[in-house]
Amino acid sequence: MRTVFGIDVSKASSEVAILVNGEKIHGYTMLNDAIGFNHLLNDLKTVHNPEIIFEATGVYSRRLRAFLEEYGYAYTQLNPSGS
């Protein structure tokens, strides 16, 4: 089973979409703070080997990247230009 967490990072919050085998099963808005990251962490812990994908959004994605690295989660960071 493939579970993907797609995260659209903005300044104050991020949109999280959780897909299982390509079908969206859940989505929510997460604040880019300790409470929001804790919510994401709880969701990530429920999945074996989650795939995490987000777009590099300069300073806005740095906190998410640091959080994922702190907890040992691999991620894919996409180039916003699409190339």
Side-chain angles (χ1 to χ4, degrees), residues 14-48:
S14 297
E15 295 299 317
V16 178
I18 303 171
L19 294 85
V20 174
N21 296 328
E23 183 178 336
K24 183 177 176 183
I25 61 161
H26 187 58
Y28 57 91
T29 300
M30 169 187 84
L31 294 176
N32 295 334
D33 61 11
I35 294 170
F37 289 145
N38 191 49
H39 183 190
L40 177 62
L41 180 61
N42 288 335
D43 286 342
L44 291 170
K45 286 180 177 180
T46 67
V47 177
H48 175 69

Side-chain angles (χ1 to χ4, degrees), residues 44-56:
L44 291 170
K45 286 180 177 180
T46 67
V47 177
H48 175 69
N49 198 26
E51 293 181 48
I52 305 163
I53 302 171
F54 61 94
E55 182 179 65

Side-chain angles (χ1 to χ4, degrees), residues 2-21:
R2 180 179 181 207
T3 304
V4 177
F5 285 72
I7 305 172
D8 183 11
V9 181
S10 297
K11 182 177 182 178
S13 64
S14 297
E15 295 299 317
V16 178
I18 303 171
L19 294 85
V20 174
N21 296 328

